């Protein structure tokens, strides 16, 4: 399989936007790079930038916390390329928000037959409690993380594809910010030689967006970050973003609802809360409505939300728009709501609940990637080319037992980027997660989080599956 190399256009030719960096890299001694990598690891450990891995257990039975490996070699994107990607991201997220507003109101896209009703209305992520509820500005997904990959074309050029949309509680932005700080600390001279677009203002942009979405009657809105607690895999990020925005980090027990308003318990008495940036899944958010046994949420929160007295980022029910069974229809959403052709393409997708697609998938399991429609983190999937015959046959039984739970896609030849590994500098597969903020306008900081599959030949970049991260540079013109 042929891969698009982000740095090299051929065996020896270096792409224009990497030339200055490549000359610098050639002058660096291996010993220096190793010491810089050790320094980065030490600092990340000291700061506490870890990721809890579910399913992994230490000897005492507790969950393990891993350092997400940080790679020293940045992923560089030229300005013109980023501009086009940014336009595509704004278009896509705008259409997804229009879709969410539509299916929780008039359902015009279903009536028009553009998307079949069954996978929407019978989906576990569809929240009937949201029907008819008007959210501020019609924006359901205020913070979106869109996963993008670049595949190699037969002529050697590369094409960007959207791999999936993350609209519920997308994570990873703290690593984007910390990676940039680390690169500036370790290699300040590089930033004198390159005009790298800044990302440090993301927390300010996020806070401005959250406050802009507050209930209209509030002049000085109070926003909080709601976390499930310190045992959550992304707790570092929750605490980091609250600290960077200068707002309170709260758990469900710190909040209560009275007269359909949300309040925070403080040492000075109750304080009204107007915006909740929640990092808790729908099911656990309000025990009055969803899971009765949840201690992570706030009883009565939906009542306050329905009354228009609090804004949730993101809204209940956004999961329907990032469900993998809905993903294949996003290009049609863009045409239906915006009257435009998609700028960013989807990966060709086979919906296994459809008989022809299921037959094709079963006949080609060894060549396909098969994913659970509600899955995340690289779990519950089959990467056909990397699986054994036994694993494929076991997965075949699972797929046949519940076809509607799966989609299948071709194994994309994800682009590679030079990466500093134990053996030296070697190509490793990458993806990109830009973070899109939707408020009065749709905006983002340039770049995003580049994730890298550190195992040789691996296409799975998720941190829960041993992946690492890189700093992403968008070069300014």
């Amino acid at each position: 399989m042929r891969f698009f190399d982000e740095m090299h256009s051929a065996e020896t030719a270096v792409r224009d936007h990497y030339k200055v960096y490549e000359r610098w890299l050639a002058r660096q001694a291996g010993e220096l790079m190793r010491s810089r990598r050790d320094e980065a690891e030490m600092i990340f450990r000291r700061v506490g930038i870890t990721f809890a891995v579910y399913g992994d257990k230490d000897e005492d039975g507790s969950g393990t916390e891993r350092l997400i490996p940080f790679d020293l070699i940045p992923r560089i994107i030229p300005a013109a390329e980023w501009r086009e990607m940014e336009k595509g991201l704004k278009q896509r997220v705008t259409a997804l928000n229009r879709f969410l507003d539509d299916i929780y109101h008039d359902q015009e896209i279903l009536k028009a037959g553009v998307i079949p009703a069954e996978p929407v209305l019978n989906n576990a992520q569809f929240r009937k409690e949201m029907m008819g509820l008007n959210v501020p500005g019609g924006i359901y997904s205020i913070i979106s993380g869109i996963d993008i990959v670049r595949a190699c074309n037969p002529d050697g050029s590369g094409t960007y594809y959207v791999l999936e949309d993350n609209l519920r509680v997308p994570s990873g932005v703290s690593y984007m910010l910390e990676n940039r700080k680390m690169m500036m600390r370790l290699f300040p001279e590089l930033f004198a030689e390159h005009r790298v677009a800044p990302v440090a203002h993301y927390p300010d942009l996020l806070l401005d967006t959250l406050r802009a979405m507050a209930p209209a009657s509030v002049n000085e809105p109070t926003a909080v970050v709601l976390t499930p607690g310190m045992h959550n895999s992304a707790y570092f990020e929750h605490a980091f973003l609250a600290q960077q925005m200068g707002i309170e980090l709260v758990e469900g027990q710190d909040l209560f609802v009275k007269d359909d308003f949300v309040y925070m318990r403080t040492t000075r008495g109750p304080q009204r809360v107007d915006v909740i940036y929640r990092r808790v899944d729908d099911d656990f958010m309000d025990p009055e409505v969803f899971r009765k046994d949840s201690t992570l949420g706030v009883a009565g929160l939906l009542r306050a939300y329905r009354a228009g007295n609090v804004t949730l980022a993101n809204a209940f029910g956004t999961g329907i728009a990032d469900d993998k069974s809905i993903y294949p229809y996003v290009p049609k959403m863009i045409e239906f709501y915006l009257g435009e052709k998609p700028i960013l393409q989807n990966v060709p997708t086979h919906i296994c609940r459809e008989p022809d697609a299921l037959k094709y998938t079963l006949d080609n399991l060894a060549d396909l990637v098969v994913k659970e429609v509600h899955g995340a983190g690289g779990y519950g999937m089959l990467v056909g080319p990397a699986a054994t015959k036994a694993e494929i046959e076991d997965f075949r039984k699972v797929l046949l037992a519940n076809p509607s739970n799966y989609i299948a896609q071709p194994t994309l030849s994800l682009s590679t980027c030079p990466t500093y590994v134990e053996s030296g500098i070697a190509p490793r597969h990458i993806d990109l997660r830009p973070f899109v903020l939707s408020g009065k306008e749709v905006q983002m900081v340039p770049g995003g989080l580049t994730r890298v599959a550190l195992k040789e030949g691996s296409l799975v970049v998720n941190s829960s599956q041993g992946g690492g991260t890189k700093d992403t540079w968008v070069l300014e013109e």
Side-chain angles (χ1 to χ4, degrees), residues 324-398:
K324 292 180 181 66
S325 67
I326 302 302
Y327 161 90
Y329 301 105
V330 177
K332 290 183 177 180
M333 290 179 202
I334 292 168
E335 295 191 23
F336 184 79
Y337 295 116
L338 307 181
E340 300 168 359
K341 293 290 182 188
I343 296 168
L344 290 169
Q345 301 302 313
N346 266 22
V347 178
T349 302
H350 307 280
I351 305 166
C352 294
R353 61 183 168 75
E354 298 174 356
D356 288 348
L358 176 62
K359 182 180 184 309
Y360 177 86
T361 300
L362 291 168
D363 290 345
N364 295 277
L365 277 178
D367 301 316
L368 297 170
V369 175
V370 189
K371 304 175 182 177
E372 285 185 311
V373 293
H374 308 313
Y379 295 105
M381 64 189 285
L382 174 78
V383 182
T388 65
K389 285 186 177 179
E391 287 169 338
I392 289 171
E393 290 313 307
D394 287 345
F395 201 91
R396 185 186 303 276
K397 294 170 191 166
V398 173

Side-chain angles (χ1 to χ4, degrees), residues 13 20 26 28 40 46 58 72 82 85 123 162 207 259 263 276 289 322 328 376-377 386 409 429 445 470:
V20 174
Q28 307 311 305
R46 200 164 61 213
D58 285 334
L72 301 176
W82 170 251
M85 193 189 303
N123 197 296
V162 174
L207 183 58
D259 299 329
Y263 295 91
I276 300 174
V289 181
D322 72 10
Q409 296 171 331
H429 296 289
V445 297
K470 291 172 170 285

Side-chain angles (χ1 to χ4, degrees), residues 29-48:
E31 188 66 33
L32 174 78
M33 295 294 279
R34 275 191 294 276
S35 71
R36 290 288 188 270
R37 185 180 63 180
D38 293 345
E39 183 181 345
E41 184 172 330
M42 179 192 71
I43 293 168
F44 278 150
R45 276 195 196 285
R46 200 164 61 213
V47 174

Side-chain angles (χ1 to χ4, degrees), residues 2 4 54 91 99 111 125 186 193 208 216 229 241 282 318 320 328 332 347 349 377-378 389 391 434 441:
R2 191 175 180 186
F4 183 91
Y54 299 130
Q91 178 195 60
F99 167 71
K111 292 171 185 172
Q125 298 301 319
L186 296 178
E193 296 183 38
D208 288 348
L241 287 173
D282 282 4
T318 54
I320 185 64
K332 290 183 177 180
V347 178
T349 302
K389 285 186 177 179
E391 287 169 338
E441 56 183 317

Side-chain angles (χ1 to χ4, degrees), residues 177 197-206 444-446:
L177 296 168
V199 297
H201 59 295
Y202 176 85
D204 295 333
L205 209 57
L206 174 58
M444 65 204 82
V445 297

Side-chain angles (χ1 to χ4, degrees), residues 401-446:
N402 188 7
S404 62
N405 197 39
Y406 293 93
I407 60 162
Q409 296 171 331
T411 307
L412 282 189
S413 53
L414 299 196
S415 67
T416 62
C417 188
T419 301
Y420 193 80
V421 295
E422 287 302 323
S423 58
I425 296 173
R428 291 292 184 266
H429 296 289
I430 58 170
D431 79 351
L432 177 67
R433 177 176 290 180
F435 296 92
V436 184
L437 299 175
S438 302
K440 301 294 185 190
E441 56 183 317
V442 183
Q443 51 192 333
M444 65 204 82
V445 297

